[in-house]
Amino acid sequence: MGVMKNHLVGDLIVGCLCLFLILCCMADDHYYDFYVTEKNITNPCASKNFALVVERVPGQTIHVHRGDTAFINVHNNGTYGITIHWHGVKQPRNPWSDGPAYVTQCPIKPGKNFTYEVLFSEEEGTLWWHAHSGWSRATVHGAIAVLPHKDTPFPFDPQPYKEHVIVLGEWFSGNMTEFFDTEEKRHTRTSLSDAYTINGLFNCTADEGYRLVVESGRTYLLRIVGASMDHEMFFAVADHNLTVVGQDGSYVKPITTTYIMITPGQTFDILLTADQLPSCYYMAVGPYNDGGNHAQRNSSIATAILQYKSTSCPPIIPFPNQLPKVADTVSAKNFTDQIKSRDSVNLPEKPDDKIFIAVAVSHQLICGKVHASLNNISFVHPKIDILQAYHRSLPNIYETDFPHQPASTTLNFTGDDSLKFEFPILGTKILMIEYNRSVEIVFQGTNLGAENHPMHLHGYSFYVVATGDGNFNETEYKNNLNLIDPPYLNTVGVPRNGWVAIRFVANNPGVWFMHCHLERHAMWGMDTAFIVTNGITENQSIREPPNGLPECSSSYNTTTSNFDADENTELEDATPLEKWSGIISSWNVICFTLLITVFSFIYVFIR
Ligand SMILES: [Cu+2]
């Protein structure tokens, strides 16, 4: 009888545990409608901005719990094709809803809609969504808040009293839709933003701009999003410490700091306690740029106000003097070097595959266009998305010969050998990666366009296992290697004239874009994509395509394995000069040589 009773009690406990697990870990579905429209946005003290938006800038925050699914129906009510990317969401087996234009889908045409099925898995913390077609992400973006499983507390203390989203962006005056058009076609120097923004606003007097009201003694979770187009940023709150508890949808060992450095694409979870004299304090964001050429950059600062409840702001409020200056690489590095994963991961000593990628920005002004490259390949977007081409086995859309390393890995990348990347090859070249291989990529900065490049990988987070100055070398790599608690990110800065090594296991089959998150560099070709092959079982293979995928405007002729000529919209839109420039830029070396020859003849003739 006693044994039976024990059994009953045991069963009851197991039953309760199961019920608790089911209730606590049950994933929910969420439904959103995003209406993309073109409209005027106003800002105090700023010229008018006419741009694509999802209602406002930033757009609405998506709230989910870990492991949930969000169905987001994007209605394009504008006049340009658009796609949306769910930045940092791994989307297991589901590249169809990842979003980069001409990589995993063609743009949603004006008047059409497409429902993204966004699959959350291991992400927890702050991520974001943004347009991934042309420059429209400047105004089409918003935050994603991924909470722990239901009824589960945050794995840090104190538990926040409330949470607030803070999106750091850039403001461009004028007609942004025309701007997208010209910038894309010109493929040349890009316009500067007019200002930086905090939640879409900036202030020219203390009374304007974004205002965050807090209660004295309370702790708040700030979800910070790096949505700027072309600049890394420093962010600080006057007289207040910031405790960083998460980055890129993953928890970190808490660090207390007076400022953060955030690259475009990154996100942070930060605790702020209102523990100062009740008053008003500036929050400020300013650029970080180690590229040297600051005269050509927007070096302004944007501010917002942290106001203690029931306090009126004095006319003069303290400015955050802890905000580092624009070229303060030491402060940027000091902050970045502190980030470590909260939990130990103990990675294996050696990866299966090693890839070495040199990043460069060439300045070929003679032939009229600027190109950026990865391993001397400047990425060209195809006219039909790579994912569809892969799924349907369509030839002539992409090539799989992206080099696993440059001509040599012992070049003086940060010195004279960087000139070897001045004339990249233009092409849609991608990497094939076998399912479940562990992969290490070393990104090597070069002296060509030397600045911090925030490299972002879709479909994965990766461990940042080592970083160093100058040219990569094995000794420094081994000395710096962190296989215990490396940061787990989706966007990492490749330091100016330095290198960084990342690791991931290729267990998410699909087509995944990888690119610099400085928009001008991505536009100039600092991109590639991975195809991670299917594994053996269905659970290791790409899902079937969803219904209603946007159609591509170019019609692919399966008989000729090519596009119908009358659908070749991109070059038809170009002027005759642009057409020739496009053709010539494929043979920059020939072009350059010809020009030198012509000038030599003229010189000899004149003499
Ligand atoms: Cu870059």
Side-chain angles (χ1 to χ4, degrees), residues 531-572:
I531 290 183
V532 176
T533 59
N534 287 338
I536 298 162
T537 66
E538 195 186 332
N539 276 340
Q540 299 170 341
S541 304
I542 301 178
R543 289 165 37 142
E544 283 302 304
N547 292 327
L549 268 174
E551 285 175 16
C552 300
S553 42
S554 296
S555 71
Y556 185 84
N557 189 324
T558 44
T559 315
T560 61
S561 298
N562 224 322
F563 291 98
D564 290 341
D566 59 344
E567 293 282 353
N568 197 347
T569 51
E570 197 171 296
L571 282 184
E572 274 183 2

CSV table of all heavy atoms in Angstrom, one decimal, residues 531-572:
chain,number,residue,atom,x,y,z
A,531,ILE,N,25.4,28.8,-49.2
A,531,ILE,CA,24.3,27.8,-49.2
A,531,ILE,C,24.7,26.7,-48.3
A,531,ILE,O,25.8,26.0,-48.5
A,531,ILE,CB,24.1,27.2,-50.7
A,531,ILE,CG1,23.5,28.3,-51.6
A,531,ILE,CG2,23.2,26.0,-50.7
A,531,ILE,CD1,23.2,27.9,-53.0
A,532,VAL,N,24.0,26.5,-47.2
A,532,VAL,CA,24.2,25.3,-46.3
A,532,VAL,C,23.3,24.2,-46.8
A,532,VAL,O,22.1,24.3,-46.9
A,532,VAL,CB,23.9,25.7,-44.9
A,532,VAL,CG1,24.1,24.5,-44.0
A,532,VAL,CG2,24.8,26.8,-44.4
A,533,THR,N,24.0,23.1,-47.2
A,533,THR,CA,23.2,22.0,-47.9
A,533,THR,C,22.3,21.3,-46.8
A,533,THR,O,22.4,21.5,-45.6
A,533,THR,CB,24.2,20.9,-48.4
A,533,THR,OG1,25.0,20.4,-47.3
A,533,THR,CG2,25.1,21.5,-49.5
A,534,ASN,N,21.3,20.5,-47.4
A,534,ASN,CA,20.4,19.8,-46.5
A,534,ASN,C,21.2,18.6,-45.8
A,534,ASN,O,22.1,18.1,-46.4
A,534,ASN,CB,19.3,19.2,-47.3
A,534,ASN,CG,18.3,20.3,-47.7
A,534,ASN,OD1,18.2,21.3,-47.1
A,534,ASN,ND2,17.5,20.0,-48.8
A,535,GLY,N,20.7,18.2,-44.6
A,535,GLY,CA,21.2,17.0,-44.0
A,535,GLY,C,20.4,15.8,-44.6
A,535,GLY,O,19.9,15.9,-45.6
A,536,ILE,N,20.4,14.8,-43.8
A,536,ILE,CA,19.8,13.5,-44.3
A,536,ILE,C,18.3,13.5,-44.1
A,536,ILE,O,17.5,13.2,-45.0
A,536,ILE,CB,20.4,12.3,-43.5
A,536,ILE,CG1,21.9,12.3,-43.8
A,536,ILE,CG2,19.7,11.0,-43.9
A,536,ILE,CD1,22.7,11.4,-42.8
A,537,THR,N,17.8,14.0,-42.9
A,537,THR,CA,16.4,13.8,-42.6
A,537,THR,C,15.6,15.1,-43.0
A,537,THR,O,16.2,16.1,-43.3
A,537,THR,CB,16.2,13.6,-41.1
A,537,THR,OG1,16.6,14.8,-40.4
A,537,THR,CG2,16.9,12.4,-40.6
A,538,GLU,N,14.3,15.0,-42.9
A,538,GLU,CA,13.5,16.2,-43.3
A,538,GLU,C,13.7,17.3,-42.3
A,538,GLU,O,13.7,18.5,-42.7
A,538,GLU,CB,12.0,15.8,-43.2
A,538,GLU,CG,11.1,16.8,-43.9
A,538,GLU,CD,9.6,16.5,-43.8
A,538,GLU,OE1,9.3,15.3,-43.6
A,538,GLU,OE2,8.8,17.5,-43.7
A,539,ASN,N,14.0,17.0,-41.0
A,539,ASN,CA,14.2,18.0,-40.0
A,539,ASN,C,15.6,18.7,-40.2
A,539,ASN,O,15.9,19.6,-39.5
A,539,ASN,CB,14.2,17.4,-38.6
A,539,ASN,CG,12.8,17.3,-38.1
A,539,ASN,OD1,11.9,18.0,-38.6
A,539,ASN,ND2,12.5,16.4,-37.2
A,540,GLN,N,16.4,18.2,-41.1
A,540,GLN,CA,17.7,18.8,-41.4
A,540,GLN,C,17.7,19.4,-42.8
A,540,GLN,O,18.7,19.7,-43.4
A,540,GLN,CB,18.8,17.7,-41.4
A,540,GLN,CG,18.9,17.0,-40.0
A,540,GLN,CD,19.8,15.8,-40.0
A,540,GLN,OE1,20.1,15.3,-41.1
A,540,GLN,NE2,20.3,15.4,-38.9
A,541,SER,N,16.5,19.6,-43.4
A,541,SER,CA,16.4,20.1,-44.7
A,541,SER,C,15.5,21.4,-44.8
A,541,SER,O,14.7,21.6,-43.9
A,541,SER,CB,15.7,19.1,-45.6
A,541,SER,OG,16.4,17.9,-45.6
A,542,ILE,N,15.8,22.2,-45.8
A,542,ILE,CA,15.0,23.4,-46.0
A,542,ILE,C,13.5,23.1,-46.2
A,542,ILE,O,13.1,22.1,-46.8
A,542,ILE,CB,15.4,24.2,-47.3
A,542,ILE,CG1,16.9,24.5,-47.2
A,542,ILE,CG2,14.6,25.4,-47.5
A,542,ILE,CD1,17.5,25.2,-48.5
A,543,ARG,N,12.7,23.9,-45.5
A,543,ARG,CA,11.2,23.7,-45.6
A,543,ARG,C,10.8,23.9,-47.1
A,543,ARG,O,11.4,24.6,-47.8
A,543,ARG,CB,10.5,24.6,-44.7
A,543,ARG,CG,10.7,24.2,-43.2
A,543,ARG,CD,10.3,25.3,-42.3
A,543,ARG,NE,9.1,26.1,-42.6
A,543,ARG,CZ,8.2,26.6,-41.8
A,543,ARG,NH1,8.3,26.3,-40.5
A,543,ARG,NH2,7.2,27.3,-42.2
A,544,GLU,N,9.6,23.5,-47.4
A,544,GLU,CA,9.0,23.8,-48.7
A,544,GLU,C,8.7,25.3,-48.7
A,544,GLU,O,8.4,25.9,-47.7
A,544,GLU,CB,7.7,23.0,-48.9
A,544,GLU,CG,8.0,21.5,-49.2
A,544,GLU,CD,8.8,21.3,-50.4
A,544,GLU,OE1,8.4,21.8,-51.5
A,544,GLU,OE2,9.9,20.7,-50.4
A,545,PRO,N,8.7,25.9,-49.9
A,545,PRO,CA,8.4,27.3,-50.0
A,545,PRO,C,7.0,27.6,-49.7
A,545,PRO,O,6.1,26.8,-49.9
A,545,PRO,CB,8.7,27.6,-51.5
A,545,PRO,CG,8.8,26.3,-52.2
A,545,PRO,CD,9.1,25.3,-51.2
A,546,PRO,N,6.8,28.8,-49.0
A,546,PRO,CA,5.4,29.1,-48.6
A,546,PRO,C,4.6,29.6,-49.8
A,546,PRO,O,5.1,29.9,-50.9
A,546,PRO,CB,5.6,30.3,-47.7
A,546,PRO,CG,6.9,30.9,-48.1
A,546,PRO,CD,7.7,29.8,-48.7
A,547,ASN,N,3.3,29.7,-49.7
A,547,ASN,CA,2.4,30.2,-50.7
A,547,ASN,C,2.6,31.7,-50.8
A,547,ASN,O,2.9,32.4,-49.8
A,547,ASN,CB,1.0,29.9,-50.4
A,547,ASN,CG,0.7,28.4,-50.5
A,547,ASN,OD1,1.3,27.7,-51.3
A,547,ASN,ND2,-0.2,27.9,-49.7
A,548,GLY,N,2.4,32.3,-52.0
A,548,GLY,CA,2.4,33.7,-52.1
A,548,GLY,C,3.7,34.4,-52.1
A,548,GLY,O,3.8,35.6,-51.9
A,549,LEU,N,4.8,33.6,-52.4
A,549,LEU,CA,6.1,34.3,-52.5
A,549,LEU,C,6.1,35.4,-53.6
A,549,LEU,O,5.5,35.1,-54.6
A,549,LEU,CB,7.2,33.3,-52.9
A,549,LEU,CG,8.0,32.6,-51.7
A,549,LEU,CD1,8.9,31.5,-52.3
A,549,LEU,CD2,8.8,33.6,-50.9
A,550,PRO,N,6.7,36.5,-53.3
A,550,PRO,CA,6.6,37.6,-54.4
A,550,PRO,C,7.3,37.1,-55.7
A,550,PRO,O,8.3,36.4,-55.6
A,550,PRO,CB,7.4,38.7,-53.7
A,550,PRO,CG,7.4,38.5,-52.3
A,550,PRO,CD,7.3,37.0,-52.1
A,551,GLU,N,6.7,37.5,-56.8
A,551,GLU,CA,7.2,37.1,-58.1
A,551,GLU,C,8.4,38.0,-58.4
A,551,GLU,O,8.4,39.2,-58.0
A,551,GLU,CB,6.1,37.3,-59.2
A,551,GLU,CG,5.1,36.2,-59.1
A,551,GLU,CD,4.0,36.4,-60.2
A,551,GLU,OE1,4.2,37.3,-61.0
A,551,GLU,OE2,3.0,35.8,-60.0
A,552,CYS,N,9.3,37.5,-59.2
A,552,CYS,CA,10.4,38.3,-59.7
A,552,CYS,C,10.0,39.0,-61.0
A,552,CYS,O,9.3,38.4,-61.8
A,552,CYS,CB,11.6,37.4,-59.9
A,552,CYS,SG,12.2,36.6,-58.4
A,553,SER,N,10.5,40.3,-61.2
A,553,SER,CA,10.0,41.0,-62.4
A,553,SER,C,10.7,40.4,-63.6
A,553,SER,O,10.1,40.4,-64.7
A,553,SER,CB,10.3,42.5,-62.2
A,553,SER,OG,11.5,42.7,-61.7
A,554,SER,N,11.9,39.9,-63.5
A,554,SER,CA,12.5,39.3,-64.6
A,554,SER,C,11.9,37.9,-64.9
A,554,SER,O,11.8,37.1,-64.0
A,554,SER,CB,14.0,39.2,-64.4
A,554,SER,OG,14.6,40.5,-64.2
A,555,SER,N,11.6,37.6,-66.1
A,555,SER,CA,11.1,36.3,-66.4
A,555,SER,C,12.2,35.4,-66.9
A,555,SER,O,13.0,35.7,-67.8
A,555,SER,CB,10.0,36.3,-67.4
A,555,SER,OG,10.5,36.6,-68.7
A,556,TYR,N,12.4,34.3,-66.2
A,556,TYR,CA,13.5,33.3,-66.5
A,556,TYR,C,13.0,32.3,-67.5
A,556,TYR,O,12.0,31.7,-67.3
A,556,TYR,CB,13.9,32.6,-65.2
A,556,TYR,CG,15.1,31.8,-65.3
A,556,TYR,CD1,16.3,32.3,-65.2
A,556,TYR,CD2,14.9,30.4,-65.5
A,556,TYR,CE1,17.4,31.5,-65.4
A,556,TYR,CE2,16.0,29.6,-65.6
A,556,TYR,CZ,17.3,30.1,-65.5
A,556,TYR,OH,18.4,29.3,-65.6
A,557,ASN,N,13.7,32.2,-68.6
A,557,ASN,CA,13.3,31.3,-69.7
A,557,ASN,C,14.0,30.0,-69.4
A,557,ASN,O,15.2,29.9,-69.6
A,557,ASN,CB,13.8,31.9,-71.0
A,557,ASN,CG,13.2,31.1,-72.2
A,557,ASN,OD1,13.1,29.9,-72.1
A,557,ASN,ND2,12.9,31.9,-73.2
A,558,THR,N,13.2,29.0,-69.1
A,558,THR,CA,13.8,27.7,-68.7
A,558,THR,C,14.4,27.0,-69.9
A,558,THR,O,15.2,26.1,-69.8
A,558,THR,CB,12.8,26.8,-68.1
A,558,THR,OG1,11.6,26.8,-68.8
A,558,THR,CG2,12.5,27.1,-66.6
A,559,THR,N,14.0,27.4,-71.2
A,559,THR,CA,14.5,26.7,-72.4
A,559,THR,C,16.0,27.2,-72.6
A,559,THR,O,16.9,26.5,-72.9
A,559,THR,CB,13.6,27.1,-73.6
A,559,THR,OG1,12.3,26.9,-73.2
A,559,THR,CG2,14.0,26.2,-74.8
A,560,THR,N,16.1,28.6,-72.5
A,560,THR,CA,17.4,29.1,-72.8
A,560,THR,C,18.3,29.3,-71.6
A,560,THR,O,19.5,29.6,-71.6
A,560,THR,CB,17.3,30.5,-73.4
A,560,THR,OG1,16.6,31.4,-72.5
A,560,THR,CG2,16.5,30.5,-74.7
A,561,SER,N,17.7,29.0,-70.4
A,561,SER,CA,18.4,29.2,-69.1
A,561,SER,C,18.9,30.7,-69.0
A,561,SER,O,20.0,30.9,-68.5
A,561,SER,CB,19.6,28.3,-68.9
A,561,SER,OG,19.2,27.0,-68.9
A,562,ASN,N,18.1,31.6,-69.4
A,562,ASN,CA,18.4,33.0,-69.4
A,562,ASN,C,17.2,33.8,-69.2
A,562,ASN,O,16.1,33.3,-69.2
A,562,ASN,CB,19.2,33.4,-70.6
A,562,ASN,CG,20.4,34.2,-70.3
A,562,ASN,OD1,20.3,35.0,-69.4
A,562,ASN,ND2,21.5,34.0,-71.0
A,563,PHE,N,17.4,35.1,-69.0
A,563,PHE,CA,16.3,36.0,-68.9
A,563,PHE,C,15.8,36.5,-70.2
A,563,PHE,O,16.6,36.8,-71.1
A,563,PHE,CB,16.6,37.2,-68.0
A,563,PHE,CG,16.9,36.8,-66.6
A,563,PHE,CD1,18.2,36.6,-66.1
A,563,PHE,CD2,15.8,36.6,-65.7
A,563,PHE,CE1,18.4,36.3,-64.8
A,563,PHE,CE2,16.1,36.3,-64.4
A,563,PHE,CZ,17.3,36.1,-64.0
A,564,ASP,N,14.5,36.7,-70.4
A,564,ASP,CA,14.0,37.3,-71.6
A,564,ASP,C,14.5,38.7,-71.6
A,564,ASP,O,14.4,39.5,-70.7
A,564,ASP,CB,12.4,37.3,-71.6
A,564,ASP,CG,11.9,35.9,-71.7
A,564,ASP,OD1,12.7,35.0,-72.2
A,564,ASP,OD2,10.7,35.7,-71.3
A,565,ALA,N,14.9,39.1,-72.9
A,565,ALA,CA,15.6,40.4,-73.0
A,565,ALA,C,14.7,41.6,-72.6
A,565,ALA,O,15.1,42.5,-72.0
A,565,ALA,CB,16.1,40.6,-74.4
A,566,ASP,N,13.4,41.5,-72.9
A,566,ASP,CA,12.5,42.6,-72.6
A,566,ASP,C,12.2,42.8,-71.2
A,566,ASP,O,11.6,43.7,-70.7
A,566,ASP,CB,11.2,42.5,-73.4
A,566,ASP,CG,10.5,41.2,-73.1
A,566,ASP,OD1,11.1,40.3,-72.5
A,566,ASP,OD2,9.3,41.1,-73.4
A,567,GLU,N,12.7,41.8,-70.4
A,567,GLU,CA,12.5,41.9,-68.9
A,567,GLU,C,13.7,42.4,-68.2
A,567,GLU,O,13.7,42.5,-67.0
A,567,GLU,CB,12.1,40.5,-68.3
A,567,GLU,CG,10.7,40.0,-68.8
A,567,GLU,CD,9.6,40.7,-68.1
A,567,GLU,OE1,9.8,41.4,-67.2
A,567,GLU,OE2,8.5,40.4,-68.5
A,568,ASN,N,14.7,42.7,-69.0
A,568,ASN,CA,16.0,43.1,-68.3
A,568,ASN,C,15.9,44.6,-67.8
A,568,ASN,O,16.5,45.5,-68.4
A,568,ASN,CB,17.1,42.9,-69.3
A,568,ASN,CG,18.5,42.9,-68.6
A,568,ASN,OD1,18.6,43.3,-67.5
A,568,ASN,ND2,19.5,42.5,-69.4
A,569,THR,N,15.2,44.8,-66.8
A,569,THR,CA,14.8,46.1,-66.4
A,569,THR,C,15.9,47.0,-65.9
A,569,THR,O,16.0,48.2,-66.1
A,569,THR,CB,13.7,46.0,-65.2
A,569,THR,OG1,14.3,45.2,-64.2
A,569,THR,CG2,12.4,45.6,-65.7
A,570,GLU,N,16.9,46.3,-65.2
A,570,GLU,CA,17.9,47.1,-64.6
A,570,GLU,C,18.7,48.0,-65.6
A,570,GLU,O,18.9,49.2,-65.4
A,570,GLU,CB,18.9,46.2,-63.8
A,570,GLU,CG,19.7,47.0,-62.8
A,570,GLU,CD,20.4,46.0,-61.9
A,570,GLU,OE1,19.8,45.2,-61.2
A,570,GLU,OE2,21.7,46.0,-62.0
A,571,LEU,N,19.2,47.3,-66.6
A,571,LEU,CA,20.0,48.1,-67.6
A,571,LEU,C,19.1,49.0,-68.5
A,571,LEU,O,19.6,50.0,-69.0
A,571,LEU,CB,20.8,47.2,-68.5
A,571,LEU,CG,22.1,46.6,-67.8
A,571,LEU,CD1,22.9,45.8,-68.7
A,571,LEU,CD2,22.9,47.7,-67.3
A,572,GLU,N,17.8,48.6,-68.7
A,572,GLU,CA,17.0,49.5,-69.5
A,572,GLU,C,16.7,50.8,-68.8
A,572,GLU,O,16.6,51.8,-69.5
A,572,GLU,CB,15.6,48.8,-69.7
A,572,GLU,CG,15.7,47.9,-70.9
A,572,GLU,CD,14.4,47.2,-71.2
A,572,GLU,OE1,13.4,47.5,-70.4
A,572,GLU,OE2,14.3,46.4,-72.1
